[in-house]
Amino acid sequence: MNPNQKNIQAVLDLSSVADVAEGLAWYKTAHTAAHELSSRYSINVSTACGVIAALSPRNKWTRNLIDAENLINVFCTAGADACTEVKVCTFGKNKVKALAILASDSCNLDSIEQILSGPKLKEFFRCIIGQDDVCIDGHAYSIWFGDRITLNKVPSIGVKLRRTIKADYLAIAEANSMTGYEVQAITWVCHRRLHSVA
């Protein structure tokens, strides 16, 4: 086990029973929300997952789901043009991505990932869908690095570093008989509790 893997394992070991329960449920809850959006608005589950992922940057989770439902609802009932009035708590370019995913309403995961384009958005999408991936964000980096690093101090995570971090999370997941996204979610919940991160 290398030092970074030990850092991930250490946070996993510090996880309370509540942290583990919340972490294990996190992506399942996200998938359930996507499934509910899918059945309520007659869109593909993968489309709903893609919209949620697209609207996620700098967006609190509860608001992320509200934004996703508002956008999907207006798109499905009044059309794309009416969506200009829908306010979302993320960047404008991410709303554009969400609308492009809705317009395609595809169950083709590759085409949704192509619209999402950013590595973190693709990872988040895969985790919500239920694929064994790891969403590498600033919190995941802090845990891997072994210290509380504020998000504005997290370095740019390039392809090579992302691959390294992901491999370490997946190694810990395998060692603990979990998926990568379960380890990431549990350690994220624990990290937030330990450092009082909102």
Side-chain angles (χ1 to χ4, degrees):
M1 197 182 289
N2 69 38
N4 297 108
Q5 289 172 3
K6 285 179 182 173
N7 292 337
I8 299 166
Q9 184 65 54
V11 177
L12 197 59
D13 292 342
L14 287 170
S15 299
S16 67
V17 168
D19 294 336
V20 173
E22 187 180 340
L24 288 176
W26 209 95
Y27 283 110
K28 287 181 182 147
T29 301
H31 188 83
T32 300
H35 205 277
E36 185 60 31
L37 288 168
S38 161
S39 63
R40 189 173 293 185
Y41 298 103
S42 301
I43 60 172
N44 284 302
V45 174
S46 50
T47 297
C49 291
V51 170
I52 291 168
L55 298 175
S56 66
R58 299 290 163 95
N59 202 350
K60 292 198 179 300
W61 175 239
T62 48
R63 186 69 221 187
N64 190 170
L65 291 181
I66 291 166
D67 288 351
E69 180 160 19
N70 287 343
L71 198 65
I72 292 167
N73 183 11
V74 172
F75 184 91
C76 292
T77 56
D81 290 345
C83 291
T84 53
E85 301 303 314
V86 180
K87 299 278 185 274
V88 294
C89 294
T90 186
F91 307 104
K93 64 180 183 179
N94 289 85
K95 181 180 172 184
V96 170
K97 288 179 181 183
L99 288 170
I101 290 166
L102 277 167
S104 73
D105 193 21
S106 174
C107 51
N108 183 310
L109 305 189
D110 289 339
S111 67
I112 293 171
E113 285 191 19
Q114 202 168 6
I115 295 168
L116 289 170
S117 75
K120 192 175 90 171
L121 292 182
K122 289 180 185 177
E123 290 162 354
F124 192 45
F125 170 68
R126 288 180 204 134
C127 292
I128 297 171
I129 283 283
Q131 292 180 0
D132 191 5
D133 203 350
V134 184
C135 184
I136 308 298
D137 61 5
H139 300 299
Y141 175 85
S142 287
I143 293 160
W144 175 83
F145 187 77
D147 198 5
R148 162 87 167 98
I149 299 166
T150 55
L151 294 183
N152 60 341
K153 298 267 173 70
V154 172
S156 176
I157 301 171
V159 174
K160 189 176 177 189
L161 179 57
R162 183 173 293 277
R163 194 180 301 127
T164 301
I165 296 170
K166 193 175 291 197
D168 287 338
Y169 269 92
L170 291 171
I172 293 303
E174 187 176 357
N176 289 275
S177 302
M178 293 179 178
T179 64
Y181 63 77
E182 286 172 338
V183 170
Q184 179 248 313
I186 293 166
T187 55
W188 176 73
V189 170
C190 179
H191 178 78
R192 285 172 61 212
R193 177 178 57 80
L194 293 174
H195 299 287
S196 303
V197 178

